[in-house]
Structure formats: structure tokens, C-alpha cells
Amino acid sequence: MWSVDPAKHSPIEDVQGIVTGSIVSALGFYILNKVGLLTGGTAGVAFLIHYAFGISFGLLFFLVNLPFYYLSFRRLGLAFSVKTFISIGLVSVLTELESRWMVIDSVNPLWAAILGGLLLGYGLLALYRHRASLGGIGILAIYMQDRFGIRAGLIQLAFDTCVMIAAFAVIEPKTVLYSIVGAFFLNMFLAINHRSDRYIVVR
């Protein structure tokens, strides 16, 4: 039932890690969405389209990640791809259901940015440690690094920068700045708490 190898997880441990990570991540997205903030990666793209056209964030988050599953399978294997697909599906559904289960009347945007970023950090950390992720640009970045020698971190940074720049056309500048604060807390949390020599890192 429980793995005796600290570097590996049993199926039950994977289930609880993926479900827990998805729940915490969905809560982070819900808080960001409540005050009109966004984050980087494919979630940022989903947020932009959601704010611009009013389409469901959960549906957009699921659809935006679809093109990356082939690269995930080629680069990171079937098990990782299946776990990531399940994680994204859970987060997509939960972000739509949370507004029915919980109502936040008011929250300070700066606090929402910090709290949302940290919750996403906790959620992603749980997923990373069970060989899963929330898909997206990180997969493409690893592929581009292998194919063209461009550092994956630079590709991720460039994409997230483009998302934040595009956000100025959709939301208020102050809201974009709050979103950058949230992204900073998210990435700093992962940088401090995640060991890339032990776990697969893809965001």
C-alpha cells in the first residue's frame, strides 16, 4: 500500500498526491479569478481568453493544454502524460464547481495574488512529486531545448513575459502588476521547495 522507497510512490500515494495537488491548484486559480488576476503558462492564456470573451476558464484551461500532450508523451512518457491529463481534467472541473461550493465576497487583490500564487505553488509541488504537472509551455520548452539548444527556462520566461504584456490589453495595468506579484511568489516557492535533481519539473 505504501512505498518503502522514498524516491518512488505507490499507486495509492499517487492518487492522493494528484487529487490533493489538483484541489489546492484549483483553489489557487479560483482566488486569482475572483479578483481578475492571472498567472503564467497555459493557465495565463486561458485566463486572458476568459477575461476577454467570458468563456469558462475551466474549459479553456483544458483545451489550451490539448496540443501539448503529444510532446509530453514523446518527451516524458506515457505515465507522466496520463497523470498530467488527469490532473488538468480535475483542475478544470474543480475550478467550475468551486463557485457553487464556496463564495468569496471580497478579497484584497494583493493578498489574492500572494495567496493564489502560494496555493498554486503547493499544488504544483504535490503534482511534481508524483510525476505529474499542469501541462503547458514547460513541455514545449523542454522539447525546444532538446531540438534547438535553447534553454528551457528562457523559453518559459519569454512566454510568460508575452502573456503578461498581452494582459495589458485585456485587464487594468494595476491588475497585471498584482498578477506579476502572484507569479513571483509561485515561482519563488517552487524554486525554494522543489528539487529538480529528484523530481521531474514541467509547468
PDB file of all heavy atoms in Angstrom, residues 3-17:
ATOM      1  N   SER A   3       4.833   2.856  -0.373  1.00  0.00           N
ATOM      2  CA  SER A   3       6.131   2.556  -0.957  1.00  0.00           C
ATOM      3  C   SER A   3       7.223   2.637   0.104  1.00  0.00           C
ATOM      4  O   SER A   3       7.250   3.578   0.910  1.00  0.00           O
ATOM      5  CB  SER A   3       6.438   3.548  -2.094  1.00  0.00           C
ATOM      6  OG  SER A   3       7.738   3.326  -2.596  1.00  0.00           O
ATOM      7  N   VAL A   4       8.123   1.646   0.103  1.00  0.00           N
ATOM      8  CA  VAL A   4       9.248   1.660   1.040  1.00  0.00           C
ATOM      9  C   VAL A   4      10.422   2.450   0.478  1.00  0.00           C
ATOM     10  O   VAL A   4      11.368   2.763   1.195  1.00  0.00           O
ATOM     11  CB  VAL A   4       9.692   0.220   1.372  1.00  0.00           C
ATOM     12  CG1 VAL A   4       8.588  -0.525   2.094  1.00  0.00           C
ATOM     13  CG2 VAL A   4      10.109  -0.531   0.106  1.00  0.00           C
ATOM     14  N   ASP A   5      10.373   2.773  -0.804  1.00  0.00           N
ATOM     15  CA  ASP A   5      11.421   3.554  -1.459  1.00  0.00           C
ATOM     16  C   ASP A   5      11.013   5.023  -1.441  1.00  0.00           C
ATOM     17  O   ASP A   5      10.012   5.399  -2.058  1.00  0.00           O
ATOM     18  CB  ASP A   5      11.604   3.074  -2.904  1.00  0.00           C
ATOM     19  CG  ASP A   5      12.759   3.772  -3.597  1.00  0.00           C
ATOM     20  OD1 ASP A   5      13.287   4.757  -3.047  1.00  0.00           O
ATOM     21  OD2 ASP A   5      13.134   3.339  -4.704  1.00  0.00           O
ATOM     22  N   PRO A   6      11.745   5.896  -0.743  1.00  0.00           N
ATOM     23  CA  PRO A   6      11.349   7.303  -0.650  1.00  0.00           C
ATOM     24  C   PRO A   6      11.375   8.038  -1.987  1.00  0.00           C
ATOM     25  O   PRO A   6      10.781   9.109  -2.112  1.00  0.00           O
ATOM     26  CB  PRO A   6      12.379   7.897   0.319  1.00  0.00           C
ATOM     27  CG  PRO A   6      13.551   6.969   0.249  1.00  0.00           C
ATOM     28  CD  PRO A   6      12.970   5.602   0.000  1.00  0.00           C
ATOM     29  N   ALA A   7      12.053   7.475  -2.975  1.00  0.00           N
ATOM     30  CA  ALA A   7      12.129   8.117  -4.292  1.00  0.00           C
ATOM     31  C   ALA A   7      11.000   7.676  -5.217  1.00  0.00           C
ATOM     32  O   ALA A   7      10.888   8.170  -6.330  1.00  0.00           O
ATOM     33  CB  ALA A   7      13.477   7.821  -4.945  1.00  0.00           C
ATOM     34  N   LYS A   8      10.164   6.713  -4.756  1.00  0.00           N
ATOM     35  CA  LYS A   8       9.066   6.216  -5.577  1.00  0.00           C
ATOM     36  C   LYS A   8       7.769   6.268  -4.776  1.00  0.00           C
ATOM     37  O   LYS A   8       7.779   6.313  -3.554  1.00  0.00           O
ATOM     38  CB  LYS A   8       9.347   4.782  -6.044  1.00  0.00           C
ATOM     39  CG  LYS A   8      10.555   4.650  -6.949  1.00  0.00           C
ATOM     40  CD  LYS A   8      10.771   3.211  -7.382  1.00  0.00           C
ATOM     41  CE  LYS A   8      11.978   3.074  -8.296  1.00  0.00           C
ATOM     42  NZ  LYS A   8      12.204   1.667  -8.720  1.00  0.00           N
ATOM     43  N   HIS A   9       6.640   6.229  -5.505  1.00  0.00           N
ATOM     44  CA  HIS A   9       5.336   6.272  -4.860  1.00  0.00           C
ATOM     45  C   HIS A   9       4.492   5.086  -5.289  1.00  0.00           C
ATOM     46  O   HIS A   9       4.561   4.651  -6.440  1.00  0.00           O
ATOM     47  CB  HIS A   9       4.590   7.561  -5.221  1.00  0.00           C
ATOM     48  CG  HIS A   9       5.288   8.800  -4.774  1.00  0.00           C
ATOM     49  ND1 HIS A   9       5.281   9.235  -3.464  1.00  0.00           N
ATOM     50  CD2 HIS A   9       6.022   9.718  -5.462  1.00  0.00           C
ATOM     51  CE1 HIS A   9       5.970  10.352  -3.361  1.00  0.00           C
ATOM     52  NE2 HIS A   9       6.435  10.666  -4.548  1.00  0.00           N
ATOM     53  N   SER A  10       3.691   4.568  -4.360  1.00  0.00           N
ATOM     54  CA  SER A  10       2.746   3.513  -4.694  1.00  0.00           C
ATOM     55  C   SER A  10       1.557   4.137  -5.424  1.00  0.00           C
ATOM     56  O   SER A  10       1.370   5.356  -5.392  1.00  0.00           O
ATOM     57  CB  SER A  10       2.265   2.827  -3.411  1.00  0.00           C
ATOM     58  OG  SER A  10       1.438   3.710  -2.667  1.00  0.00           O
ATOM     59  N   PRO A  11       0.713   3.305  -6.094  1.00  0.00           N
ATOM     60  CA  PRO A  11      -0.465   3.854  -6.782  1.00  0.00           C
ATOM     61  C   PRO A  11      -1.375   4.661  -5.860  1.00  0.00           C
ATOM     62  O   PRO A  11      -1.890   5.708  -6.255  1.00  0.00           O
ATOM     63  CB  PRO A  11      -1.168   2.591  -7.305  1.00  0.00           C
ATOM     64  CG  PRO A  11      -0.056   1.619  -7.532  1.00  0.00           C
ATOM     65  CD  PRO A  11       0.909   1.874  -6.404  1.00  0.00           C
ATOM     66  N   ILE A  12      -1.569   4.196  -4.618  1.00  0.00           N
ATOM     67  CA  ILE A  12      -2.427   4.930  -3.687  1.00  0.00           C
ATOM     68  C   ILE A  12      -1.813   6.278  -3.335  1.00  0.00           C
ATOM     69  O   ILE A  12      -2.499   7.301  -3.241  1.00  0.00           O
ATOM     70  CB  ILE A  12      -2.675   4.094  -2.412  1.00  0.00           C
ATOM     71  CG1 ILE A  12      -3.555   2.890  -2.750  1.00  0.00           C
ATOM     72  CG2 ILE A  12      -3.320   4.940  -1.321  1.00  0.00           C
ATOM     73  CD1 ILE A  12      -3.828   1.984  -1.572  1.00  0.00           C
ATOM     74  N   GLU A  13      -0.515   6.302  -3.145  1.00  0.00           N
ATOM     75  CA  GLU A  13       0.176   7.564  -2.863  1.00  0.00           C
ATOM     76  C   GLU A  13       0.065   8.521  -4.044  1.00  0.00           C
ATOM     77  O   GLU A  13      -0.114   9.736  -3.860  1.00  0.00           O
ATOM     78  CB  GLU A  13       1.646   7.289  -2.523  1.00  0.00           C
ATOM     79  CG  GLU A  13       1.839   6.598  -1.188  1.00  0.00           C
ATOM     80  CD  GLU A  13       3.267   6.148  -0.961  1.00  0.00           C
ATOM     81  OE1 GLU A  13       3.980   5.875  -1.959  1.00  0.00           O
ATOM     82  OE2 GLU A  13       3.673   6.060   0.200  1.00  0.00           O
ATOM     83  N   ASP A  14       0.158   7.986  -5.266  1.00  0.00           N
ATOM     84  CA  ASP A  14      -0.002   8.825  -6.457  1.00  0.00           C
ATOM     85  C   ASP A  14      -1.404   9.422  -6.533  1.00  0.00           C
ATOM     86  O   ASP A  14      -1.569  10.600  -6.848  1.00  0.00           O
ATOM     87  CB  ASP A  14       0.278   8.015  -7.726  1.00  0.00           C
ATOM     88  CG  ASP A  14       1.765   7.890  -8.020  1.00  0.00           C
ATOM     89  OD1 ASP A  14       2.546   8.716  -7.510  1.00  0.00           O
ATOM     90  OD2 ASP A  14       2.141   6.978  -8.769  1.00  0.00           O
ATOM     91  N   VAL A  15      -2.418   8.590  -6.225  1.00  0.00           N
ATOM     92  CA  VAL A  15      -3.795   9.072  -6.284  1.00  0.00           C
ATOM     93  C   VAL A  15      -4.005  10.228  -5.313  1.00  0.00           C
ATOM     94  O   VAL A  15      -4.538  11.281  -5.672  1.00  0.00           O
ATOM     95  CB  VAL A  15      -4.786   7.932  -5.991  1.00  0.00           C
ATOM     96  CG1 VAL A  15      -6.192   8.496  -5.774  1.00  0.00           C
ATOM     97  CG2 VAL A  15      -4.802   6.938  -7.143  1.00  0.00           C
ATOM     98  N   GLN A  16      -3.585  10.048  -4.053  1.00  0.00           N
ATOM     99  CA  GLN A  16      -3.799  11.115  -3.071  1.00  0.00           C
ATOM    100  C   GLN A  16      -2.986  12.358  -3.423  1.00  0.00           C
ATOM    101  O   GLN A  16      -3.450  13.487  -3.232  1.00  0.00           O
ATOM    102  CB  GLN A  16      -3.472  10.623  -1.662  1.00  0.00           C
ATOM    103  CG  GLN A  16      -2.004  10.390  -1.339  1.00  0.00           C
ATOM    104  CD  GLN A  16      -1.243  11.653  -0.992  1.00  0.00           C
ATOM    105  OE1 GLN A  16      -1.824  12.607  -0.478  1.00  0.00           O
ATOM    106  NE2 GLN A  16       0.048  11.660  -1.285  1.00  0.00           N
ATOM    107  N   GLY A  17      -1.786  12.176  -3.977  1.00  0.00           N
ATOM    108  CA  GLY A  17      -0.963  13.322  -4.347  1.00  0.00           C
ATOM    109  C   GLY A  17      -1.563  14.112  -5.496  1.00  0.00           C
ATOM    110  O   GLY A  17      -1.590  15.349  -5.465  1.00  0.00           O
TER     111      GLY A  17
END
